[in-house]
Amino acid sequence: QVQLVESGGGVVQPGGSLRLSCAASGFTFSGYAMHWVRQAPGKGLEWVAFIRYDGSNEHYADSVKGRFTISRDNSKKTLYLQMHSLRVEDTAVYYCAKDLRYGSSWSHFDYWGQGTLVTVSS
Amino acid sequence: EIVLTQSPATLSLSPGERATLSCRASQSVSNYLAWYQQKPGQAPRLLIYDASIRATGIAARFSGSGSGTDFTLTISSVEPEDFAVYYCQQRSNWPPITFGQGTRLEIK
């Protein structure tokens, strides 16, 4: 069965950095685009970043562009989100999410991890 | 950026009643719209994609309709486990991918 397990969340001061990981299993990781989606406490869902199945293309929300970098290691079946210059407003649960369609960027999400909490606070 | 507006913000129903949730886009998204269900403390779950296609394992009481700018998620007869928050999401003309603000379905 498909599993996505995020890790790397924690408490960090404003201006700090953090790297999130998402370990995938139960599907052909290298064939699917992947996304990060976040949810601030008590708020709705916000798409953060996308990476193509082969890592050749990326897109970001304006709110994180230039500060966050999405990457993947298909040999390790792992997705990453490197976060720099963190702000209080980046505080959220961060979910990795699998794209629906093999070999394309369908951008609906059929499997989600359980999420990892990032808290930016002094 | 395409803005999705969901209504109502909260829907209060009793089990067995019909639920109708609306999502309106600020410009046409064709049929590139999905619906998700989220329960407290859980990740979202895909219910409907491409406006009307039920995702794998989703009960037949869930249905989606619409195209262009106006979309509806219908639960034909609400079950106790359906009380949750529902989000719509579009994938037309992205980035960015955007979500609606959510509709909370609560027990009356």
Side-chain angles (χ1 to χ4, degrees):
Chain A
Q1 71 283 19
V2 173
Q3 277 200 309
L4 298 168
V5 180
E6 300 97 337
S7 60
V11 180
V12 60
Q13 291 188 336
S17 299
L18 213 54
R19 189 177 85 155
L20 307 182
S21 300
C22 170
S25 61
F27 66 102
T28 306
F29 180 72
S30 60
Y32 290 88
M34 296 293 294
H35 302 255
W36 287 98
V37 178
R38 68 184 181 183
Q39 187 169 35
K43 303 297 184 182
L45 301 168
E46 180 188 16
W47 171 78
V48 172
F50 151 91
I51 188 166
R52 204 172 115 109
Y53 61 90
D54 58 1
S56 64
N57 195 18
E58 305 155 26
H59 292 297
Y60 299 91
D62 284 348
S63 57
V64 306
K65 200 173 294 183
R67 302 187 298 121
F68 289 12
T69 301
I70 188 172
S71 63
R72 64 192 297 160
D73 186 333
N74 284 344
S75 66
K76 295 182 178 179
K77 300 181 182 180
T78 302
L79 176 72
Y80 302 100
L81 186 68
Q82 179 67 56
M83 304 184 292
H84 294 298
S85 303
L86 282 160
R87 305 167 180 168
V88 171
E89 56 265 33
D90 294 320
T91 294
V93 173
Y94 284 74
Y95 296 100
C96 62
K98 171 186 166 292
D99 203 285
L100 180 62
R101 296 288 193 203
Y102 181 90
S104 71
S105 304
W106 211 253
S107 299
H108 290 323
F109 318 123
D110 61 346
Y111 288 94
W112 300 60
Q114 84 289 350
T116 187
L117 177 61
V118 172
T119 302
V120 184
S121 173
S122 54
Chain B
E1 173 175 327
I2 295 175
V3 176
L4 299 178
T5 303
Q6 292 186 239
S7 61
T10 302
L11 184 59
S12 300
L13 294 173
S14 300
E17 292 192 289
R18 182 182 186 89
T20 303
L21 288 69
S22 174
C23 177
R24 177 164 290 177
S26 58
Q27 65 189 78
S28 176
V29 298
S30 184
N31 67 329
Y32 300 145
L33 190 106
W35 291 92
Y36 299 86
Q37 176 194 68
Q38 187 178 32
K39 297 179 180 178
Q42 296 185 16
R45 178 173 71 141
L46 178 66
L47 300 175
I48 302 287
Y49 65 93
D50 290 352
S52 62
I53 302 174
R54 262 192 310 277
T56 302
I58 301 303
R61 64 181 181 274
F62 292 94
S63 63
S65 63
S67 66
T69 61
D70 290 297
F71 299 87
T72 301
L73 174 69
T74 301
I75 310 172
S76 58
S77 178
V78 176
E79 296 286 339
E81 62 266 28
D82 298 338
F83 292 98
V85 179
Y86 293 83
Y87 294 95
C88 57
Q89 173 247 324
Q90 67 81 24
R91 64 175 187 90
S92 175
N93 191 29
W94 71 280
I97 292 165
T98 54
F99 292 87
Q101 82 280 14
T103 289
R104 180 178 305 277
L105 177 59
E106 66 175 24
I107 301 175
K108 188 173 182 180

